[in-house]
Amino acid sequence: MTVETIPTSPIAGQKPGTSGLRKKVRVFQQPGYAENFIQAVFDVVERPAGATLVIGGDGRFHNRVVIAQAIRMAAANGYGRVLVGQGGILSTPAASHVIRTYGASGGLILSASHNPAGPDEDFGIKYNIANGGPAPEAVTEAIYARTQTIDRWLAVAGDVDIDSIGTSVVGDMTVEVIDPVADYAALMERLFDFAAIRRAVAGGFRMIFDAMSAVTGPYAVEILERRLGFPAGTVRNGTPLEDFGGHHPDPNLVHAKDLYDAMMAPGAPDFGAASDGDGDRNLIIGRHRFITPSDSLAMLAANAHLAPGYAGGLKGIARSMPTSAAADLVAKALGIPSYETPTGWKFFGNLLDAGLATICGEESAGTGSDHVREKDGLWAVLLWLNILAVRGLSVDALAREHWARFGRNYYARHDYEAVETAAANALMAELTAALSSLPGRAFGPLSVAAADSFSYSDPVDGSTSANQGLRVLFTCGSRIVFRLSGTGTEGATLRVYLEAYQPPDGAMDRETADMLADLIAAADTMAGITRHTGRTRPDVVT
Ligand code: G1P
Ligand code: ZN
């Protein structure tokens, strides 16, 4: 094997964010850009000689170029085997499962998740470790540090046909092109009661799944249509396209509006769902009933024992800090611990590995369990289907039953996108400085009980992550959280998370916007959103 050493020099800004390194495709197309980052990964991560590396992505533009190069580099860097999804396809949860199943030392997931795709849009590279989960901060910091000193990258010659399943050799390394769906579909069959769902389908239960022209299409067609018997056409936009068909595959009420409208129309099917670019998120809408992701986490946790994979009960429930406290109420009722982590799936990994939590979720439409180490869109859809099939209830009836027992956490997230970075930083700095003066202050009918900057201490490895968002708690139990996105590629995105709790004997059937109106006004007054950003309303409300 002839290894070529290509001299290079550090490129600024290769710092992984909430979920890997994300930049515009044009940035990734600069000479050496992807190579520097991938070499930095190979230089610092734990990998025994001859280790296995998994490579796959969400099928977006530039995927194939980077996969071909990553294979040449992996061979030069001493990997023994690369597993790559056919056509370069692996959803993020499927990649996590493949890493775990085949004992890989890690994987490169090529995705910018829900960000749009195409030559002028976004690309990303994320490294996952041997447990199948996103690299923890210590690893991403080390990768970043290495990008700042890197002086060469290594490659061998060679090309692989990633469209044909089979084995070939590059340098001294084996490359196996695998079916991206098979292992994942088998795992889902082990976790869920497919027979019960099939009976419901035979009895007329109908759904729509919108794959948003991104990676989940092949998974959804195989599982929902072929294995569960939903009629052909149940999966919409089921072919992954390099530009996602121009869609913005973020499964929320703005970008999945067609699905929402279909579910609110007369004669809507029983169940509607969507996933995002790389398949780790989910949107759940029943006939005439939208379920917030925070509620979905709580409702799934309360009923998970109805699925064979969770029949033994849950060990604990974890949620990210901005996610509503609905799941905590379920944990309390089940007598199991609940955990509050910073935003980003990487913080759940330790809890899952240590057996402290079984189910995890984020308000950003991410839910998952200890079956992999990523959030998992189709998993959430299948758990919902399993529960509805066994309970014989509609989504709306299940939600009402849940709120009657636990109360309702009215919830919304307001996003202000592409805000000037300096303005967003000034807003956060001013609010941080004001935190200690907030308790006792009134904002309309609301009175502040406590305010802080969230800091997390990992109960497993003792590491601390500070500055994870600003929390303002009111005496009535309502809450506002402010944080800046760590996944954007242009300017800053301010996220404002609003939550108002109503106990079981309170108002269960009100409009969310009405229930949150006082909080929305308070958020602007205390943070000066309009003053700093010039914006009078959010770009996206989810
Ligand atoms: C966003 C979501 C977060 C999620 C991440 C990766 O991060 O808010 O919950 O884990 O995408 O999918 P943010 O842009 O807020 O940093
Ligand atoms: Zn995603």
Side-chain angles (χ1 to χ4, degrees), residues 113-114 276-281 375:
S113 189
H114 51 284
D276 72 331
D278 62 329
D280 57 0
R281 296 191 187 193
K375 53 192 180 242

Side-chain angles (χ1 to χ4, degrees), residues 18-19 22 113-114 276 280-281 320 343-345 362-364 375 413 483-488 495 497:
T18 310
S19 204
R22 283 193 198 167
S113 189
H114 51 284
D276 72 331
D280 57 0
R281 296 191 187 193
S320 66
T343 295
W345 205 260
E362 294 194 275
E363 52 64 42
S364 54
K375 53 192 180 242
R413 185 178 94 186
R483 63 178 281 281
L484 297 183
S485 158
T487 57
R495 303 203 196 283
Y497 309 80

Side-chain angles (χ1 to χ4, degrees), residues 268-290:
D270 302 277
F271 191 74
S275 194
D276 72 331
D278 62 329
D280 57 0
R281 296 191 187 193
N282 69 87
L283 170 69
I284 303 294
I285 314 178
R287 181 192 297 125
H288 306 166
R289 173 61 71 188
F290 165 65

Side-chain angles (χ1 to χ4, degrees), residues 131-450:
N131 74 351
E137 255 173 5
V139 178
T140 54
E141 290 296 332
I143 294 169
Y144 177 51
R146 180 65 190 140
T147 65
Q148 293 176 303
T149 58
I150 196 153
D151 58 1
R152 58 91 185 92
W153 51 276
L154 309 176
V156 301
D159 260 318
V160 174
D161 169 16
I162 59 167
D163 292 309
S164 311
I165 290 188
T167 302
S168 54
V169 172
V170 171
D172 297 336
M173 184 182 81
T174 306
V175 181
E176 285 176 35
V177 178
I178 60 170
D179 178 339
V181 177
D183 292 307
Y184 178 82
L187 173 65
M188 294 300 117
E189 276 211 57
R190 289 199 294 280
L191 292 177
F192 300 117
D193 188 346
F194 273 36
I197 303 173
R198 270 195 295 267
R199 280 195 298 277
V201 176
F205 185 95
R206 289 293 171 265
M207 75 173 288
I208 303 172
F209 181 88
D210 191 343
M212 304 185 92
S213 303
V215 81
T216 43
Y219 297 86
V221 169
E222 172 64 26
I223 294 171
L224 299 175
E225 296 185 3
R226 297 210 188 98
R227 301 197 187 194
L228 290 171
F230 281 103
T234 295
V235 178
R236 299 186 178 174
N237 301 310
T239 304
L241 302 175
E242 283 206 328
D243 65 349
F244 299 151
H247 295 154
H248 189 136
D250 197 353
N252 61 36
L253 299 183
V254 176
H255 298 299
K257 187 159 187 314
D258 290 353
L259 175 70
Y260 180 80
D261 290 345
M263 294 307 299
M264 296 301 139
D270 302 277
F271 191 74
S275 194
D276 72 331
D278 62 329
D280 57 0
R281 296 191 187 193
N282 69 87
L283 170 69
I284 303 294
I285 314 178
R287 181 192 297 125
H288 306 166
R289 173 61 71 188
F290 165 65
I291 302 292
T292 68
S294 293
D295 268 353
S296 177
L297 171 67
M299 292 169 191
L300 291 178
N303 293 281
H305 59 279
L306 300 173
Y310 306 93
L314 308 178
K315 293 171 189 144
I317 307 173
R319 64 167 173 89
S320 66
M321 182 275 282
T323 304
S324 94
D328 302 6
L329 301 170
V330 174
K332 203 165 161 219
L334 293 175
I336 56 175
S338 54
Y339 301 89
E340 187 177 31
T341 61
T343 295
W345 205 260
K346 60 188 171 206
F347 294 99
F348 294 134
N350 277 351
L351 299 174
L352 295 169
D353 282 350
L356 296 175
T358 307
I359 283 191
C360 311
E362 294 194 275
E363 52 64 42
S364 54
T367 331
S369 85
D370 57 2
H371 68 292
V372 290
R373 292 296 179 272
E374 287 279 3
K375 53 192 180 242
D376 188 344
L378 264 171
W379 170 91
V381 171
L382 292 167
L383 182 50
W384 264 101
L385 291 175
N386 188 147
I387 291 166
L388 295 176
V390 173
R391 297 291 312 275
L393 286 177
S394 69
V395 172
D396 182 54
L398 190 111
R400 286 173 188 278
E401 175 199 87
H402 188 95
W403 295 330
R405 181 172 173 205
F406 297 102
R408 181 169 177 185
N409 299 68
Y410 286 92
Y411 188 90
R413 185 178 94 186
H414 288 193
D415 290 339
Y416 300 81
E417 294 178 341
V419 172
E420 205 195 308
T421 306
N425 288 339
L427 181 154
M428 292 299 281
E430 253 186 58
L431 188 57
T432 305
L435 286 176
S436 59
S437 68
L438 288 178
R441 271 186 66 187
F443 293 88
L446 300 163
S447 172
V448 177

Side-chain angles (χ1 to χ4, degrees), residues 450-528:
D452 68 1
S453 173
F454 181 59
S455 175
Y456 178 64
S457 181
D458 188 306
V460 180
D461 65 19
S463 62
T464 299
S465 304
N467 304 321
Q468 297 295 323
L470 307 180
R471 305 190 283 191
V472 181
L473 294 167
F474 298 94
T475 48
C476 57
S478 292
R479 185 180 77 149
I480 307 176
V481 173
F482 300 85
R483 63 178 281 281
L484 297 183
S485 158
T487 57
T489 54
E490 262 180 339
T493 294
L494 170 68
R495 303 203 196 283
V496 182
Y497 309 80
L498 308 143
E499 175 178 2
Y501 177 67
Q502 286 284 307
D505 58 358
M508 284 304 111
D509 212 3
R510 298 275 298 278
E511 289 298 323
T512 298
D514 297 341
M515 297 303 283
L516 300 180
D518 293 335
L519 285 169
I520 293 167
D524 188 42
T525 312
M526 82 176 61

Side-chain angles (χ1 to χ4, degrees), residues 59-146:
R60 67 176 59 227
F61 182 81
H62 205 50
N63 238 19
R64 287 169 177 271
V65 176
V66 174
I67 288 177
Q69 194 69 314
I71 291 173
R72 293 183 205 108
M73 292 179 65
N77 278 279
Y79 279 96
R81 179 171 67 150
V82 156
L83 301 174
V84 53
Q86 186 181 23
I89 294 288
L90 274 178
S91 77
T92 290
S96 180
H97 180 54
V98 169
I99 292 170
R100 295 163 66 77
T101 304
Y102 295 94
S105 64
L108 290 171
I109 302 179
L110 310 177
S111 167
S113 189
H114 51 284
N115 296 6
D120 296 316
E121 301 294 351
D122 292 354
F123 192 74
I125 304 181
K126 182 169 84 153
Y127 183 74
N128 280 29
I129 58 173
N131 74 351
E137 255 173 5
V139 178
T140 54
E141 290 296 332
I143 294 169
Y144 177 51
R146 180 65 190 140

